[in-house]
C-alpha cells in the first residue's frame, strides 16, 4: 500500500523558513514524479513545485519561484520542499503527490496523495 507522509509544517513568522518532508513507502520516488501542492482556506488546490522522475528536472509555480526548492533523497526515498521568505499568502495545507507519469503536471490529478501538513505564516 502506497503511503506518502508529510512532516515539517508549523507556525512561522513572515520572512522565515521551513522544510517540508515527504517520506514515501511502497513506491520508489526514483520511478515516480513527485510534486507539492497546497490548498489555502476556501481556495482550490494549487501546484507549488514538482520534480520529474525522468531526469530530476524541477518545476515551480511562479508564486514560489526563487523562494522554494524541491529536492529528493533517493536513498531515503524522501522528497523535500525548502521554503524561504515566507509570506502570509503561503499559509496553506501542503500536500505531497506522486504519479507514474514522466513529466510534472500542475493539475492535481496524481495517483497518490499524502494527508497534508499545515503551514501557517504569521505577520
Amino acid at each position: 500500500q502506497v503511503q506518502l507522509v508529510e512532516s515539517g509544517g508549523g507556525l512561522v513568522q513572515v520572512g522565515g523558513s521551513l522544510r517540508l518532508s515527504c517520506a514515501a513507502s511502497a513506491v520508489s520516488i526514483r520511478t515516480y514524479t513527485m510534486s507539492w501542492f497546497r490548498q489555502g482556506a476556501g481556495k482550490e488546490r494549487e501546484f507549488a513545485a514538482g520534480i520529474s522522475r525522468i531526469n530530476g528536472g524541477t518545476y515551480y509555480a511562479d508564486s514560489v519561484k526563487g523562494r522554494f526548492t524541491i529536492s529528493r533523497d533517493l536513498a531515503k526515498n524522501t522528497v523535500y520542499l525548502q521554503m524561504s521568505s515566507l509570506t502570509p499568502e503561503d499559509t496553506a495545507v501542503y500536500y505531497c503527490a506522486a504519479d507514474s507519469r514522466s513529466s510534472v503536471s500542475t493539475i492535481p490529478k496524481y495517483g497518490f496523495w499524502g494527508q497534508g501538513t499545515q503551514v501557517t505564516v504569521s505577520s
Side-chain angles (χ1 to χ4, degrees), residues 5-24:
V5 180
E6 302 99 333
S7 61
L11 177 64
V12 63
Q13 291 187 331
V14 170
S17 300
L18 279 176
R19 188 178 79 158
L20 306 183
S21 300
C22 172

Side-chain angles (χ1 to χ4, degrees), residues 5 16 20 25 42 46 50-53 55 61 68 80 96 110 119 122:
V5 180
L20 306 183
S25 58
E46 65 174 8
I51 185 164
S52 169
R53 69 175 179 87
N55 56 7
F68 290 12
Y80 302 98
C96 177
Y110 280 57
V119 171
S122 67

